[in-house]
Amino acid sequence: MRFETKAIHVGRGIDPLTGAVTSPLHLSTTYERAADGSYTNDFMYSRGDNPNRRALEACLTSLESGFDCVTYASGMAAISSIIEALPQDLPRRVVMPDDMYFGIRALISETDIGKRFDIAIADMTNLAEVEKVIQDAPTGLVWMETPSNPLVKIVDIKAITKIAQKAEAYTVVDNTWPTPALQRPLSYGVDFSLHSVTKYIGGHSDLMVGAIVAKSDSIYLKNLRAWQHEKGAVPSPFDCWLALRGVQSLSPRMRVHCANALELAEFLEAHPKVEAVHYPGLASHAGHAIAAKQMSSFGGMLSFQVKGGEKEAMEVAANVKIFTRATSLGGTHSLIEHRASVEKDKTMAPANLLRVSVGIENIEDLKEDLSQALE
Ligand SMILES: *Cc1c(COP(=O)(O)O)cnc(C)c1O
């Protein structure tokens, strides 16, 4: 099966009991044992495994062409698990990009993860710098996020994976923004593809799930499963059910997200009140050539800088009518957000920057809305 077909068919089938075409939702926390004590249906207790979670994990494994998938209560639960679950014999050192999801920076500064692990930061668009930072000290895990948040930087997955492999470090890509519909890190030799399923895979801003898809079997993968099962950071069956519903339309949704984002980026780039547009689909973007190589299209996220400062950017956000001022991304509806005022003193975002999650509304409505907001 090809990608779009797998998104619809893997993990789902006709319910043998009722003939229902849509998978039933299994809320039961516990499963009956047979008279001889065995579990005839494979399930025992919902934290360990349940039908809706298993179905979602099967589908995501298949979409990333991986070996297995472990899902969590949120993207951040997946992120903290993959750091904590580093196998015992590996160096407790993680190399991370300078531009990355804000929640990870908060995880490092607000919890003891930042103290128990040596977190080294590198500008991952600079391969010489990445090589130097990785070779500075024995490294357990190399982190990539591309396109990055909020500056939409592009990182060369293949090149960095090679550098990491030479140093015998594991690699992970936060693949939330492109989704497996546009980018398959495992095909470049990356060990783990990580997701906030909350975003595009769920697709409708109504669930929280995280996922890690592994390229192959390992002690690391066994640890990740134990972190899910034993530490209990599990997604609910309902959220898994919603995610498996959302993922069916991932491909067609991404096509519209990408087309709308490109058109909006071109519109903004030509606008006299816009200072800069960050979108890898633009020929002017520093990472355009690498993005064109490793992504099948350029995604639905962009950011732009309004001429002036924070006040001018906040005014644009204040005047939108169809866009919603809200954080998060990946839903059908367009969102706009002033990142610097959300992230406060830890921010990497310029004061005049607005981040946009371009939805799948009619593009003319989106352009008209930003056009009047910029007036
Ligand atoms: C939202 C997001 C996360 C965190 O996911 P949650 O589901 O909110 O915990 C991680 N990485 C990226 C790129 C994100 O956009």
Side-chain angles (χ1 to χ4, degrees), residues 10-11 53-63 68-69:
V10 177
R53 190 170 94 201
R54 187 183 286 187
L56 176 63
E57 290 179 349
C59 186
L60 297 181
T61 300
S62 160
L63 294 183
D68 198 8
C69 168

Side-chain angles (χ1 to χ4, degrees), residues 153-287:
K153 287 190 190 175
I154 298 293
V155 160
D156 189 332
I157 299 175
K158 217 174 184 170
I160 291 182
T161 301
K162 262 206 199 116
I163 298 171
Q165 284 172 343
K166 248 195 340 205
E168 293 182 352
Y170 275 91
T171 45
V172 58
V173 170
D174 186 332
N175 208 33
T176 300
W177 279 24
T179 83
L182 307 185
Q183 179 170 284
R184 314 262 165 80
L186 306 188
S187 72
Y188 300 114
V190 171
D191 297 299
F192 301 106
S193 181
L194 183 146
H195 291 277
S196 170
V197 174
T198 313
K199 311 293 170 52
Y200 287 105
I201 293 177
H204 299 76
S205 304
D206 55 9
L207 64 93
M208 287 224 125
V209 171
I212 300 168
V213 183
K215 183 173 56 140
S216 52
D217 202 6
S218 66
I219 298 286
Y220 205 159
L221 173 61
K222 288 188 173 63
N223 284 356
L224 289 171
R225 183 64 73 187
W227 247 253
Q228 173 202 50
H229 183 167
E230 263 51 76
K231 292 208 167 179
V234 291
S236 75
F238 183 48
D239 277 355
C240 292
W241 185 90
L242 280 174
L244 197 65
R245 182 176 68 162
V247 77
Q248 293 175 78
S249 59
L250 178 64
S251 241
R253 276 188 286 112
M254 289 315 291
R255 274 203 290 278
V256 182
H257 282 296
C258 291
N260 280 359
L262 179 61
E263 200 166 332
L264 208 59
E266 285 168 347
F267 162 78
L268 288 167
E269 196 174 42
H271 199 285
K273 291 204 173 152
V274 173
E275 180 183 292
V277 182
H278 309 283
Y279 184 66
L282 294 174
S284 60
H285 189 283

